[in-house]
PDB file of all heavy atoms in Angstrom:
ATOM      1  N   LEU A 182      18.409  55.511 -28.717  1.00  0.00           N
ATOM      2  CA  LEU A 182      18.145  54.048 -29.040  1.00  0.00           C
ATOM      3  C   LEU A 182      19.458  53.313 -29.471  1.00  0.00           C
ATOM      4  O   LEU A 182      19.722  52.217 -28.961  1.00  0.00           O
ATOM      5  CB  LEU A 182      17.025  53.886 -30.044  1.00  0.00           C
ATOM      6  CG  LEU A 182      16.528  52.392 -30.238  1.00  0.00           C
ATOM      7  CD1 LEU A 182      16.061  51.788 -29.081  1.00  0.00           C
ATOM      8  CD2 LEU A 182      15.433  52.429 -31.357  1.00  0.00           C
ATOM      9  N   ARG A 183      20.161  53.904 -30.359  1.00  0.00           N
ATOM     10  CA  ARG A 183      21.378  53.285 -30.823  1.00  0.00           C
ATOM     11  C   ARG A 183      22.449  53.223 -29.628  1.00  0.00           C
ATOM     12  O   ARG A 183      23.042  52.214 -29.555  1.00  0.00           O
ATOM     13  CB  ARG A 183      22.058  54.207 -31.904  1.00  0.00           C
ATOM     14  CG  ARG A 183      23.320  53.679 -32.480  1.00  0.00           C
ATOM     15  CD  ARG A 183      23.886  54.677 -33.506  1.00  0.00           C
ATOM     16  NE  ARG A 183      25.336  54.428 -33.714  1.00  0.00           N
ATOM     17  CZ  ARG A 183      26.257  55.127 -32.909  1.00  0.00           C
ATOM     18  NH1 ARG A 183      25.906  55.950 -32.084  1.00  0.00           N
ATOM     19  NH2 ARG A 183      27.512  54.896 -33.199  1.00  0.00           N
ATOM     20  N   SER A 184      22.451  54.224 -28.945  1.00  0.00           N
ATOM     21  CA  SER A 184      23.407  54.217 -27.807  1.00  0.00           C
ATOM     22  C   SER A 184      23.059  53.016 -26.633  1.00  0.00           C
ATOM     23  O   SER A 184      23.948  52.419 -26.322  1.00  0.00           O
ATOM     24  CB  SER A 184      23.384  55.644 -27.153  1.00  0.00           C
ATOM     25  OG  SER A 184      24.287  55.757 -26.010  1.00  0.00           O
ATOM     26  N   PHE A 185      21.782  53.041 -26.474  1.00  0.00           N
ATOM     27  CA  PHE A 185      21.338  51.943 -25.452  1.00  0.00           C
ATOM     28  C   PHE A 185      21.577  50.545 -26.081  1.00  0.00           C
ATOM     29  O   PHE A 185      21.976  49.727 -25.353  1.00  0.00           O
ATOM     30  CB  PHE A 185      19.824  52.071 -25.280  1.00  0.00           C
ATOM     31  CG  PHE A 185      19.267  51.332 -24.122  1.00  0.00           C
ATOM     32  CD1 PHE A 185      19.449  51.726 -22.874  1.00  0.00           C
ATOM     33  CD2 PHE A 185      18.744  50.092 -24.369  1.00  0.00           C
ATOM     34  CE1 PHE A 185      19.072  50.874 -21.697  1.00  0.00           C
ATOM     35  CE2 PHE A 185      18.198  49.230 -23.318  1.00  0.00           C
ATOM     36  CZ  PHE A 185      18.340  49.679 -22.001  1.00  0.00           C
ATOM     37  N   ALA A 186      21.330  50.439 -27.345  1.00  0.00           N
ATOM     38  CA  ALA A 186      21.552  49.118 -28.062  1.00  0.00           C
ATOM     39  C   ALA A 186      23.033  48.644 -28.079  1.00  0.00           C
ATOM     40  O   ALA A 186      23.431  47.573 -27.736  1.00  0.00           O
ATOM     41  CB  ALA A 186      21.177  49.154 -29.559  1.00  0.00           C
ATOM     42  N   LEU A 187      23.953  49.753 -28.188  1.00  0.00           N
ATOM     43  CA  LEU A 187      25.341  49.542 -28.175  1.00  0.00           C
ATOM     44  C   LEU A 187      25.811  49.105 -26.744  1.00  0.00           C
ATOM     45  O   LEU A 187      26.646  48.264 -26.558  1.00  0.00           O
ATOM     46  CB  LEU A 187      26.218  50.671 -28.710  1.00  0.00           C
ATOM     47  CG  LEU A 187      26.252  50.983 -30.149  1.00  0.00           C
ATOM     48  CD1 LEU A 187      26.921  52.294 -30.478  1.00  0.00           C
ATOM     49  CD2 LEU A 187      27.028  49.798 -30.817  1.00  0.00           C
ATOM     50  N   ALA A 188      25.339  49.885 -25.818  1.00  0.00           N
ATOM     51  CA  ALA A 188      25.522  49.535 -24.335  1.00  0.00           C
ATOM     52  C   ALA A 188      25.133  48.142 -23.962  1.00  0.00           C
ATOM     53  O   ALA A 188      25.875  47.457 -23.320  1.00  0.00           O
ATOM     54  CB  ALA A 188      24.874  50.592 -23.525  1.00  0.00           C
ATOM     55  N   ALA A 189      23.967  47.762 -24.457  1.00  0.00           N
ATOM     56  CA  ALA A 189      23.446  46.397 -24.167  1.00  0.00           C
ATOM     57  C   ALA A 189      24.394  45.385 -24.750  1.00  0.00           C
ATOM     58  O   ALA A 189      24.726  44.298 -24.263  1.00  0.00           O
ATOM     59  CB  ALA A 189      21.978  46.351 -24.646  1.00  0.00           C
ATOM     60  N   LEU A 190      24.784  45.572 -26.024  1.00  0.00           N
ATOM     61  CA  LEU A 190      25.808  44.687 -26.746  1.00  0.00           C
ATOM     62  C   LEU A 190      27.043  44.544 -25.969  1.00  0.00           C
ATOM     63  O   LEU A 190      27.596  43.408 -25.709  1.00  0.00           O
ATOM     64  CB  LEU A 190      25.950  45.127 -28.189  1.00  0.00           C
ATOM     65  CG  LEU A 190      26.746  44.298 -29.039  1.00  0.00           C
ATOM     66  CD1 LEU A 190      26.241  42.898 -29.204  1.00  0.00           C
ATOM     67  CD2 LEU A 190      27.010  44.887 -30.447  1.00  0.00           C
ATOM     68  N   ALA A 191      27.628  45.737 -25.485  1.00  0.00           N
ATOM     69  CA  ALA A 191      28.937  45.643 -24.730  1.00  0.00           C
ATOM     70  C   ALA A 191      28.603  44.913 -23.548  1.00  0.00           C
ATOM     71  O   ALA A 191      29.509  44.166 -22.985  1.00  0.00           O
ATOM     72  CB  ALA A 191      29.302  47.075 -24.480  1.00  0.00           C
ATOM     73  N   ASN A 192      27.507  45.095 -22.819  1.00  0.00           N
ATOM     74  CA  ASN A 192      27.190  44.401 -21.529  1.00  0.00           C
ATOM     75  C   ASN A 192      27.106  42.926 -21.677  1.00  0.00           C
ATOM     76  O   ASN A 192      27.529  42.220 -20.996  1.00  0.00           O
ATOM     77  CB  ASN A 192      25.940  45.090 -20.862  1.00  0.00           C
ATOM     78  CG  ASN A 192      26.233  46.555 -20.287  1.00  0.00           C
ATOM     79  OD1 ASN A 192      27.484  46.865 -20.017  1.00  0.00           O
ATOM     80  ND2 ASN A 192      25.213  47.314 -20.269  1.00  0.00           N
ATOM     81  N   ALA A 193      26.280  42.620 -22.752  1.00  0.00           N
ATOM     82  CA  ALA A 193      26.116  41.183 -22.984  1.00  0.00           C
ATOM     83  C   ALA A 193      27.574  40.468 -23.416  1.00  0.00           C
ATOM     84  O   ALA A 193      27.744  39.408 -22.786  1.00  0.00           O
ATOM     85  CB  ALA A 193      25.262  41.016 -24.271  1.00  0.00           C
TER      86      ALA A 193
END
Side-chain angles (χ1 to χ4, degrees):
L182 182 61
R183 178 185 162 269
S184 183
F185 192 82
L187 283 173
L190 184 62
N192 293 330

